[in-house]
Amino acid sequence: MAEVTALYRYPVKGLSAEPLPALTLARASGLAFDREYALALGTTDFDPQNPEPLDKGFFLMLRSNEVLAALSTRFDPETGRLTVIRDGVTVLSEDLASASGRAAVESFFEGYIGPAAKGRPRLVRAAGHKFTDGSVISPAFMRAVSLINLASVRALEERTGQPIHPLRFRANIYVDGLEPWAEMDWVDQEVTIGSLRLRGLARTPRCAAVDVNPETAARDTNLPKALKRNFGHVDLGIYLEVLADGAIAVGDRMAVRPGAEDAA
């Protein structure tokens, strides 16, 4: 029987994962504080009052800025404080609700990233908006959560002959107990985790971001090429749409059935 082994959210796009014992999800808004903030490049035009989905290339992100992986970050929704740790030392702790706090965050990342930031990055947020990669596809994709089947990761490890840290894939939900690549067939099927109902939206295509080792910040693989060569596609994982409000927790069992309904 398949079950959830780990859960994560990513409050700031491109920054580190936050492990959680449980996630509360809503049909109308997805996962709270997941990709809630982003660091827009100095050349990016983003209007928080009239947010438009933009490709991830308009923001700091691992595909282009692998040095982000050397930072461990934590965000406290109750206080609005973002803490950044490097090599075990806290290098930044600021309140994102304050103008001075946001300015300090922007100044830090301008110095840390250097010319690749294309000027001073801007910490952005907009009501009802998420900086997910799928946001440019549709509102449903913007609110979707992502799932990784650990058996598929192991199948890729076997073909490449090297260990692959599952956090390379930056998913919200990690499950074990499935056959490798079982998730590839879940599109348009209903997925139940605990009592929460979700629907498979699309397989997750992989880009060069997954080549960044989350433990060393080194770009040390070519996993999209390995996927294509060994399995005939570049996909690993699946996007899931939340069909009804609810919660999931580590240890929850999951099941899949065809014919997901739109009704909550």
Side-chain angles (χ1 to χ4, degrees), residues 12 15 37-41 58-60 105 109 121-124:
V12 183
L15 300 188
Y37 294 87
L39 287 155
L41 297 175
F58 286 91
F59 305 96
L60 296 183
V105 170
F109 280 97
R122 187 160 61 105
L123 184 69
V124 291

Side-chain angles (χ1 to χ4, degrees), residues 85-132:
I85 299 169
R86 185 180 187 188
D87 297 329
V89 177
T90 298
V91 293
L92 182 76
S93 184
E94 296 290 344
D95 179 4
L96 302 190
S98 72
S100 61
R102 293 190 298 273
V105 170
E106 293 168 354
S107 179
F108 171 82
F109 280 97
E110 180 181 19
Y112 182 69
I113 298 297
K118 299 181 180 179
R120 179 168 176 159
R122 187 160 61 105
L123 184 69
V124 291
R125 182 190 194 190
H129 187 85
K130 288 183 177 296
F131 298 96
T132 54

Side-chain angles (χ1 to χ4, degrees), residues 13-27:
K13 184 178 185 67
L15 300 188
S16 67
E18 290 188 355
L20 294 170
L23 300 177
T24 299
L25 299 104
R27 183 178 187 182

